[in-house]
Every structure is written in C-alpha cells, then in structure tokens.
Amino acid sequence: MKKEIGIGLAGFGTVGSGVYKNLVRNGALIEERAGVCFRVRRIAVKDLAEPRAVEAPEELFVTRPDELIEDPGIQIVIELMGGIDFPLAFIRRAIQAGKSVITANKALLAEHGREIFELAKEKKVAVFFEAAVAGGIPIIKAVRESFVGNHIECIHGIFNGTSNYILTRMTDAGLDFSPALEEAQKLGYAEADPALDVNGWDAAHKAIILASLAYGFWVDPAKVHVEGIENVTASDIRFADELGYRIKLIATIKADDEGKIEVRVAPTLIPKSHVLASVNGVFNAVAVRGDVVGETLFYGRGAGQDPTSSAVLCDLVEAGIALSSPKESHGFAAHDLYGDCKPVADSVSKFYLRLGVEDRPGVLAQIAGALGAADIGILSVIQPESHTGEFISLVLILHDAPYGKMLTATKTLAALPCVKSEPLLLHMETFL
Ligand code: NDP
Ligand code: HSE
C-alpha cells in the first residue's frame, strides 16, 4: 500500500481546476512516479454557486481556505487563488501549521519571497513554485538544480504569454492592441488584472524570482527597470521589421564584471535571426547562459490551464517525495556571491527612438545635433514619407549608450519645438 498524502486546493479557477482535472487524468502515472498516493481532500473557492467547467465532488468545496490548513489529513496546500495580501497570510499560516506549500503566485513571491522562504526554513517546510515562472517550462528546476555548477552569466526571456500573444497578433494579423488582449483573456492567459500583463509587471515578477534564484539574493522590485507594451504601435512593429528586428517584451537578467545584477523588462528590438524572435503567441522561451554549460534554450507554453497545471503537478510529486523521505531543502539557497543590483541608468544597450517631428528642412540636422551634443551616435535613420496627422515619424537607431544618458537626451529632444509627439525609446538587444 502506498502512503496517502492529502491535498488542499485553494482556488479552482483556470489553474486550480486544471490541476484537479490532470491529477484525475494522470493519477495512476503520477502515483507510480511519486511512490505515494495523492488525495484531494478539500477545494477552497470564493463562490460555491459559480458554474465549474471541471467537475469535482460537491462535498470537497469550501469557501474558507483555512479549513485546508485546519484539516490534519492535508499535508500539502496548493495556493492558486491569486492576489497578494490574502494568499500571503494564508501561506504564512500554512507554513506555521507545518504544511508543504505549492504556489503559482509570482506576484506574491516577487514581493514577499524572502519572508516566505525564511519562515519556511525556520519551520522546516518546503515551498514549491515551478508554475510561477514561464508556465509549463521547467525553468525553476533547471536554474536551481541543473545549473547548480554554473555561474549564470545572463538570462533572456519572454515571460509573459499575454503580451507575447498581443505583439504576435499585432505583427502577424495586423490586429489592434485591444482585440488582441481580449483574445488572450478569453483563452485564460491573462491575469485577473490584465494591466499586470501589459505593463510589464507580470514578466518582471517572474524575472525577479529567476534572478533571485540564479544569483542567491532576493532582488528588490524597486531596483528593476520595467516598461510595458502599451506604447508600442503597429508602426513601431513595421519600422522594426524594415530594420531587421522584432519587438518582444524581453526580460534581461545579467551579471556584470563586478557581480552587479541588472534586471530589466522592456519591449525590446531583437534581431529577426535570433531564436527568441520566432517565439510567438502564448509561447514563452528562456535563454540561459552559464559559464560551464554555455548557451541553453527552453521553450513552451507560458500560460493557460494545462501547461501551468503540468508545472504544479511536478511540484506536487516533488512535495510528495519530500514528505515521504524528508531532506533539508527549502527551495531557495541564499549565498553571498552576489548581492546588489545595477542601477537602471547604467544599463548599456543600443536604442530605438521614434519621434514625431515637423516635416521641414533642418529638422533632421537639429535632432542629430542634439544627439551629437549628448555624445550619442546614430547608427541608422528611417523617415517614412507618410504623415501621422500634422507631423512625420522619424525613427533612429542609436549606438550603445547608458540608459540614463539616453533618457536625458530623449527629454532634451522632446523639448525641441520641432518635436511634436511624446518620443518612444526602446531598448535593443544584440545578445553579446
Ligand atoms: P482564476 O481567477 O481563474 O482562479 C482563482 C480561483 O481562486 C477561483 O476558483 C476563485 O474562486 C478562488 N479564490 C480567489 N480568492 C479566493 C478566496 N479569498 N477564497 C477562496 N477562494 C478564492 O486564477 P488563475 O487560475 O488564472 O490563477 C491562479 C494563480 O496562478 C494566480 O496567482 C496566477 O498569477 C497564477 N498563474 C496563472 C496562470 C494562468 O495561465 N492563468 C499561469 C501561471 C500562474 P471562484 O472560482 O469561486 O471565483
Ligand atoms: N498572465 C500570465 C501570462 C500567466 O500571460 O503569461 C502566466 O503566468
């Protein structure tokens, strides 16, 4: 007889119901692999009357998540409710009660990971979070375990399925932003508050978790540079295309020679020839470069019911195995080799700058003069003939410069009388 492990599922929405469905579907396989038998004892939801696409026995449903913690037959609680304050308090209580915890809540871990893992260590309970970064891609396991013998040199990732879906639909189908977002919401990819998807913060939460794992200290969200895709237009996508680039919401995590860590999430121009440029739709990809392993690439669905529940099931098996043969591992290994983030202003890259300018002689010379005075070199210029209202777009590709310097120069340009619309400044990544 296999040992039975009781599960409390907090949340039965897109991911929670997927976990239940797939646990039923692949239960025999999972139990063979884990060597234990899993039984869902309670499911917490907000509203018992809510119609459910996935069926589960009615008697399992409760509306008070603490019933999961109070049930002595539950050893593992799976938090899939979303939000921050409520699940934080819930997870704290679960850890205090000695329950193993699984969560897919990247916002919570990015903001409160340090405190959760310190408490888990003190109470000697395990916390698992494979689904929190890049949905079905097993990147947490890879960075934490498979690359344990490496210094991580850099990680570049497409971490938000919703914004990648929107950019892909804008590129391939010429769709506007709003209908593309609506499609992503219908498909269950977007967060309850989709602002987090499009403003870059969902990807930033994932980048913070991964950077923290890769470099052994909890990265402070205040030190992360975050821009969303809201200001990227169909014209920017076309200009980038003409120049040989795609625009993607890229998370860049990099250690510099002094061990300072840069964490940045921004719509970024990447060469069409780079493999990340071909990652489309809801797919995520993560390129990790380690000093021993070299370049690696992970690709898969970054959101949605089944890919995300696949990652939760992986955590479940790990949690089950850990409960049947305990070891001193709590999911996060802090160390002192790194410990500081690079100031955003010092991050160096090439840049894409789109200006709306008056269509008259001398304007280009003024712009070039202002950039020259700021010691910023121009690599190339596109000035399409078509007008946008009263002005014309001017697109410049600029040589490597620190972001702080570029921002100051952009503000100087924005103040010129010949510049008629808010400039758009985008990072470019050459992956060197
Ligand atoms: P949903 O909004 O689809 O589901 C949330 C579930 O939690 C619902 O069943 C809801 O109950 C329940 N719930 C919410 N608050 C409470 C509460 N106070 N008490 C009891 N139950 C509550 O969210 P998702 O499944 O999309 O996301 C869950 C988590 O997984 C989030 O942290 C999200 O960021 C993360 N995630 C989501 C992915 C995705 O593709 N959707 C991918 C990776 C991570 P009711 O059904 O009654 O409303
Ligand atoms: N809203 C997220 C996304 C879900 O679109 O990637 C996966 O974390």
Side-chain angles (χ1 to χ4, degrees), residues 210-272:
L210 215 49
S212 302
L213 274 183
Y215 294 107
F217 70 98
W218 281 99
V219 167
D220 178 355
K223 296 193 172 166
V224 175
H225 174 79
V226 186
E227 286 172 54
I229 60 167
E230 312 96 316
N231 298 323
V232 175
T233 63
S235 314
D236 294 312
I237 290 174
R238 268 198 317 278
F239 294 143
D241 185 60
E242 274 178 47
L243 292 159
Y245 293 87
R246 289 267 179 269
I247 299 180
K248 295 281 182 193
L249 185 69
I250 298 284
T252 302
I253 302 167
K254 245 188 235 176
D256 71 9
D257 294 341
E258 290 153 18
K260 288 231 164 58
I261 309 307
E262 175 182 351
V263 185
R264 163 185 13 124
V265 172
T268 302
L269 276 78
I270 59 173
K272 279 186 204 170

Side-chain angles (χ1 to χ4, degrees), residues 90-363:
F90 172 75
I91 285 178
R92 270 200 209 117
R93 286 195 294 276
I95 294 173
Q96 295 280 9
K99 313 281 178 184
S100 300
V101 172
I102 297 171
T103 180
N105 194 330
K106 54 265 162 151
L108 174 65
L109 292 178
E111 300 282 343
H112 298 284
R114 181 202 303 265
E115 131 176 38
I116 290 172
F117 283 98
E118 279 174 7
L119 183 63
K121 189 168 186 187
E122 185 194 322
K123 297 291 167 194
K124 293 190 169 22
V125 304
V127 177
F128 301 92
F129 51 102
E130 185 62 68
V133 181
I137 302 175
I139 192 64
I140 298 293
K141 228 179 189 1
V143 168
R144 197 178 51 200
E145 296 174 17
S146 309
F147 299 146
V148 69
N150 285 255
H151 285 277
I152 303 295
E153 292 177 348
C154 58
I155 300 176
H156 289 95
I158 294 178
F159 286 147
N160 184 264
T162 301
S163 55
N164 201 44
Y165 185 87
I166 293 171
L167 290 174
T168 303
R169 297 289 283 151
M170 285 172 75
T171 307
D172 294 351
L175 233 59
D176 281 334
F177 185 91
S178 303
L181 171 59
E182 269 170 39
E183 282 186 7
Q185 285 176 299
K186 277 197 196 112
L187 290 163
Y189 304 153
E191 294 304 299
D193 174 8
L196 289 175
D197 293 300
V198 295
N199 70 15
W201 269 102
D202 178 74
H205 289 145
K206 296 164 183 169
I208 288 167
I209 295 170
L210 215 49
S212 302
L213 274 183
Y215 294 107
F217 70 98
W218 281 99
V219 167
D220 178 355
K223 296 193 172 166
V224 175
H225 174 79
V226 186
E227 286 172 54
I229 60 167
E230 312 96 316
N231 298 323
V232 175
T233 63
S235 314
D236 294 312
I237 290 174
R238 268 198 317 278
F239 294 143
D241 185 60
E242 274 178 47
L243 292 159
Y245 293 87
R246 289 267 179 269
I247 299 180
K248 295 281 182 193
L249 185 69
I250 298 284
T252 302
I253 302 167
K254 245 188 235 176
D256 71 9
D257 294 341
E258 290 153 18
K260 288 231 164 58
I261 309 307
E262 175 182 351
V263 185
R264 163 185 13 124
V265 172
T268 302
L269 276 78
I270 59 173
K272 279 186 204 170
S273 57
H274 192 273
V275 66
L276 290 181
S278 309
V279 175
N280 288 319
V282 69
F283 281 87
N284 282 193
V286 196
V288 183
R289 189 162 77 210
D291 62 344
V292 181
V293 70
E295 300 281 356
T296 62
L297 182 75
F298 299 78
Y299 173 79
R301 282 192 166 78
Q305 183 168 79
D306 289 335
T308 311
S309 52
S310 163
V312 175
L313 291 176
C314 156
D315 283 347
L316 186 61
V317 169
E318 210 179 323
I321 291 172
L323 281 170
S324 52
S325 49
K327 57 174 182 164
E328 282 279 314
S329 163
H330 305 285
F332 178 75
H335 58 74
D336 295 328
L337 294 180
Y338 305 89
D340 207 356
C341 284
K342 187 171 177 143
V344 169
D346 297 349
S347 137
V348 173
S349 76
K350 293 188 175 47
F351 288 90
Y352 165 100
L353 177 63
R354 178 193 12 102
L355 302 167
V357 296
E358 283 175 342
D359 186 13
R360 62 173 171 77
V363 165

Side-chain angles (χ1 to χ4, degrees), residues 76-89:
I76 301 174
V77 293
I78 309 182
E79 186 282 305
L80 298 168
M81 296 182 286
I84 295 201
D85 294 340
F86 187 78
L88 173 62

Side-chain angles (χ1 to χ4, degrees), residues 354-358 388 391-393 410 413-424:
R354 178 193 12 102
L355 302 167
V357 296
E358 283 175 342
T388 314
F391 50 83
I392 191 159
S393 293
T410 305
L413 291 174
L416 291 176
C418 63
V419 174
K420 294 294 181 197
S421 71
E422 192 57 35
L424 178 74

